């Protein structure tokens, strides 16, 4: 069932950009620009476009403007007649990507863990390995008894605990089967605040469907004698929407104010993030048992899924709750460029794919627009992509000057960043870890240490969980 709201029809109409595939950004650049600016943007007759010192184009809008309008005095032709706005935007992304690659070559390998005391703006720390020999640890959680729960993307829930200084890990029996394909598998495990009274744990996964397909799903269950039991499905997609595409599952689960929030990626079905009748490309808000809170924003909207809290999301792999205010923050992977950090508002439309700072992977444009009235703009966005993934607020006492700061992990750029937020803004940012591995999750431990799940790139490289321990 599809249902478009009449009052939002202008926003919801599918965008069609019929750019033929031979008009991707690299091809356009080669045909229209390379002659003057050099085949690899290093400059030829005209100036280099990877030089960070721009004469005309200070920001993205300025870049687009000079491409459209040219500059008669300096000899830069106007391309408004040859390129539509979306293609111009794609060229801007292409120029930014190429420049970034020059300045900061893509990281393919991770460095070994540094030993000794590491410095940062507020705190010195050491990095200790906690659990080794893993295969993409995806999510971390702590039980009230101090045991560390984690998932591996290829399946399996594990419990790790420290005894006499040594960490031991055992798998939980009876973990649900998952559809392991590309990005798909087992995702988040989360412990709700009232765990002690009822024992429920929440789990998100790519559920195996018919004929080698899968889709994102939210379940809860209990741990009893080392077994996963009592599983209940809380939110799943209609069977006929299961797809063989192994991308954009989203899939974090967090708790705020007695509600369960769950991020569901658009699954590569681009326009569906705007369709309120479908679960993909949405953040959902549920009661702890999967019921619908009566004050959800779309409960009275005919045809809309009543669980939807916000929509227009692409691949929301990060979801975090501010420990003081209960407000929600979200990260999502853009396509090529256009990664976002969002502040979530009730009923908000976050714009994918109507507006984006990115372009398609083949270099063809997604949208000419990076913003539009009525669509929520990101708080921060990154082009080229940093592959932004988990976010989590630090809540411990071991690093007092990090308290309530938002930690943000990236995959491609292998970074852990610390963000200070105020209201819906980011007021300061610091790079904490770089090139130690793809950051899949982080969490404050009962000891106040910051635990970080690292995926080490490479075919046979074991992945691990580390913790940042305060150092004098
Ligand atoms: C006929 C030669 C020519 C062609 C073709 C051309 N440019 Fe230019 N472009 C120039 C010149 C000349 C300038 C002025 C800068 C300079 O002094 O070299 C310029 C400036 C620019 C600037 C501003 C640089 C700055 O420092 O602010 C951008 C961005 C740019 N061009 C992008 C493009 C793109 C994208 C294309 C292809 C769609 C393109 N140009 C095609 C000659 C050309």
């Amino acid at each position: 069932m599809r249902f478009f709201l009449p009052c939002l029809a202008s926003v919801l109409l599918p965008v069609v950009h019929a750019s033929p595939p031979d008009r991707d950004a690299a091809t356009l650049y080669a045909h229209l620009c390379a002659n003057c600016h050099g085949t690899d943007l290093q400059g030829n007759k005209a100036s280099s476009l990877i030089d960070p010192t721009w004469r005309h184009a200070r920001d993205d809008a300025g870049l687009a403007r000079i491409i459209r309008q040219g500059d008669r005095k300096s000899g830069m032709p106007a391309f408004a007649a040859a390129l539509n706005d979306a293609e111009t935007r794609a060229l801007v992304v292409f120029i930014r990507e190429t420049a970034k690659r020059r300045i900061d070559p893509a990281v393919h390998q991770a460095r070994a863990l540094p030993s000794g005391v590491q410095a940062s703006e507020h705190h010195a720390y050491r990095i200790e390995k906690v659990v080794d020999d893993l295969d993409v640890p995806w999510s971390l959680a702590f039980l009230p008894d101090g045991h560390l729960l984690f998932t591996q993307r290829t399946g399996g829930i594990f419990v790790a605990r420290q005894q006499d200084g040594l960490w031991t890990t055992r798998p939980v029996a009876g973990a649900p089967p998952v559809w392991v394909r590309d990005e798909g598998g087992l995702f988040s495990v989360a412990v709700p605040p009232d765990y002690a009274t009822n024992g429920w744990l929440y789990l998100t996964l790519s559920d195996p469907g018919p004929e080698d397909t899968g889709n994102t799903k939210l379940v809860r269950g209990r741990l009893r004698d080392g077994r996963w039991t009592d599983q209940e499905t809380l939110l799943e997609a209609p069977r006929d929407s299961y797809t063989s595409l192994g991308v954009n599952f989203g899939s974090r689960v967090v708790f705020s104010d007695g509600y369960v929030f769950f991020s569901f990626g658009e699954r590569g079905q681009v326009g569906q993030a705007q369709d309120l009748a479908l679960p993909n490309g949405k953040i959902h808000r549920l009661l702890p048992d999967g019921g619908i809170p009566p004050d959800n924003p779309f409960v009275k909207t005919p045809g809309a899924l009543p669980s939807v809290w916000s929509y227009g999301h692409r691949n929301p792999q990060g979801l975090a709750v501010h420990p003081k205010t209960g407000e929600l923050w979200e990260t999502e992977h853009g396509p090529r460029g256009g990664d976002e950090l969002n502040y979530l508002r009730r009923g908000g439309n976050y714009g994918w794919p109507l507006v984006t700072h990115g372009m398609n992977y083949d270099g063809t444009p997604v949208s000419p627009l990076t913003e539009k009235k009525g669509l929520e703009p990101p708080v921060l966005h990154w082009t080229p992509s940093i592959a932004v993934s988990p976010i989590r607020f630090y809540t411990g006492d071991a690093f007092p000057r990090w308290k309530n700061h938002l930690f943000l992990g990236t995959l491609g750029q292998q970074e852990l960043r610390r963000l200070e937020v105020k209201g819906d803004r980011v007021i300061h940012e610091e790079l904490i870890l770089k090139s130690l591995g793809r950051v899949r999750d982080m969490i404050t431990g009962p000891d106040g240490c910051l635990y970080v799940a690292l995926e080490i790139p490479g075919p046979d490289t074991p992945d691990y969980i580390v913790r940042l321990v305060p150092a004098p």
Side-chain angles (χ1 to χ4, degrees):
M1 178 179 49
R2 301 289 174 82
F3 190 85
F4 290 116
L5 291 166
C7 60
L8 293 176
S10 65
V11 169
L12 290 176
L13 281 177
V15 263
V16 182
H17 294 291
S19 277
D22 61 342
R23 292 183 68 82
D24 67 276
T27 310
L28 288 172
Y29 180 84
H31 288 168
L32 301 176
C33 325
N35 181 34
C36 292
H37 289 289
T39 47
D40 50 1
L41 287 72
Q42 82 286 18
N44 191 17
K45 278 181 263 185
S47 58
S48 158
L49 295 180
I50 49 184
D51 199 318
T53 58
W54 296 98
R55 285 182 46 223
H56 304 268
R58 240 163 239 118
D59 52 10
D60 282 10
L63 255 174
R65 199 176 318 112
I66 185 146
I67 297 170
R68 269 197 306 271
Q69 300 172 1
D71 181 51
R72 211 152 32 110
K73 269 200 264 117
S74 60
M76 164 68 185
F79 287 92
L83 297 170
N84 65 35
D85 284 355
E87 290 164 346
T88 304
R89 175 64 205 161
L91 273 170
V92 170
V93 176
F94 177 78
I95 292 169
R96 294 285 187 224
E97 273 183 351
T98 312
K100 174 87 178 164
R101 229 178 2 254
R102 286 310 172 71
I103 298 163
D104 182 8
V107 203
H108 294 300
Q109 283 183 329
R111 293 188 289 129
L113 284 186
S115 57
V117 176
Q118 309 295 307
S120 77
E121 283 176 13
H122 295 313
H123 292 292
Y125 59 88
R126 291 173 192 280
I127 307 176
E128 274 180 12
K129 212 178 258 190
V130 172
V131 187
D132 203 349
D133 289 322
L134 300 176
D135 187 8
V136 192
W138 211 94
S139 169
L140 306 173
F142 277 97
L143 291 168
D145 64 6
H147 292 184
L148 168 65
L149 275 180
F150 65 91
T151 57
Q152 287 193 143
R153 191 186 57 80
T154 47
I157 311 165
F158 300 82
V159 185
R161 62 185 189 136
Q162 193 181 23
Q163 231 179 359
D164 306 325
L166 276 180
W167 284 88
T168 52
T169 304
R170 60 183 166 77
V172 170
V178 292
W179 185 65
V180 180
R181 168 70 57 85
D182 305 325
E183 299 166 9
L186 190 55
F187 306 124
S188 287
V189 58
V191 181
D194 61 352
Y195 171 82
T197 64
N198 53 42
W200 288 115
L201 293 171
Y202 290 71
L203 204 60
T204 74
L205 50 100
S206 69
D207 183 40
E211 288 164 18
D212 202 17
T213 61
N215 217 339
T216 306
K217 176 170 167 170
L218 171 68
V219 303
R220 67 174 181 178
R222 291 191 174 100
L223 267 189
R224 196 172 292 141
D225 304 325
R227 269 201 93 74
W228 178 253
T229 58
D230 304 342
Q231 181 173 307
E232 295 177 355
T233 295
L234 303 187
L235 197 149
E236 64 185 339
R239 280 274 132 169
D240 62 7
S241 72
Y242 278 50
T243 161
S244 58
L245 293 174
V247 298
N248 301 355
F249 293 87
S251 221
R252 295 279 173 185
V253 56
V254 296
F255 312 94
S256 177
D257 203 19
Y259 300 101
V260 180
F261 290 85
F262 166 49
S263 69
F264 196 138
E266 46 84 290
R267 298 293 285 107
Q269 318 286 323
V270 176
Q272 294 182 359
Q274 290 294 324
D275 187 341
L276 289 171
L278 295 170
N280 45 330
K282 313 292 178 328
I283 309 295
H284 299 272
R285 179 185 188 240
L286 300 169
L287 297 171
D289 65 356
I292 302 297
D295 60 342
N296 266 7
F298 301 107
V299 280
K300 298 214 171 78
T301 305
L305 279 183
S307 57
V308 173
W309 179 253
S310 61
Y311 65 114
H313 299 289
R314 187 175 177 276
N315 189 10
Q317 264 186 5
L319 201 55
V321 178
H322 192 289
K324 278 266 183 315
T325 64
E327 293 161 323
L328 268 93
W329 290 74
E330 178 253 21
T331 52
E332 59 186 73
H333 295 280
R336 196 167 146 189
D339 285 8
E340 296 183 356
L341 171 70
N342 290 306
Y343 177 85
L344 289 189
R345 296 174 204 277
R346 178 182 188 277
N349 181 352
Y350 287 78
W352 174 254
L354 305 173
V355 296
T356 175
H357 286 85
M359 65 180 174
N360 288 315
Y361 290 110
D362 64 4
T364 57
V366 175
S367 167
L369 301 178
T370 53
E371 56 190 306
K372 187 173 176 178
K373 201 154 177 280
L375 303 181
E376 299 290 341
V379 177
L380 296 179
H381 64 89
W382 295 271
T383 301
S385 294
I386 56 176
V388 63
S389 184
I391 43 173
R392 191 96 75 156
F393 285 91
Y394 175 78
T395 54
D397 296 317
F399 297 107
R401 296 192 63 193
W402 287 354
K403 194 127 180 159
N404 301 334
H405 292 180
L406 184 63
F407 282 78
L408 177 150
T410 73
L411 306 178
Q413 290 293 317
Q414 301 186 24
E415 293 166 348
L416 180 69
R417 301 182 184 203
R418 181 183 63 85
L419 275 53
E420 294 174 30
V421 306
K422 193 171 181 189
D424 59 1
R425 289 179 306 132
V426 172
I427 54 172
H428 183 67
E429 204 180 322
E430 182 191 6
L431 182 62
I432 300 284
L433 303 180
K434 176 74 185 163
S435 301
L436 295 185
R438 295 153 66 85
V439 177
R440 285 290 181 177
D441 201 6
M442 56 267 165
I443 192 169
T444 311
D447 52 3
C449 295
L450 185 67
Y451 288 69
V452 184
L454 293 175
E455 173 191 353
I456 311 305
D460 296 313
T461 45
D463 306 326
Y464 36 80
I465 299 166
V466 300
R467 67 176 172 186
L468 274 47
V469 185

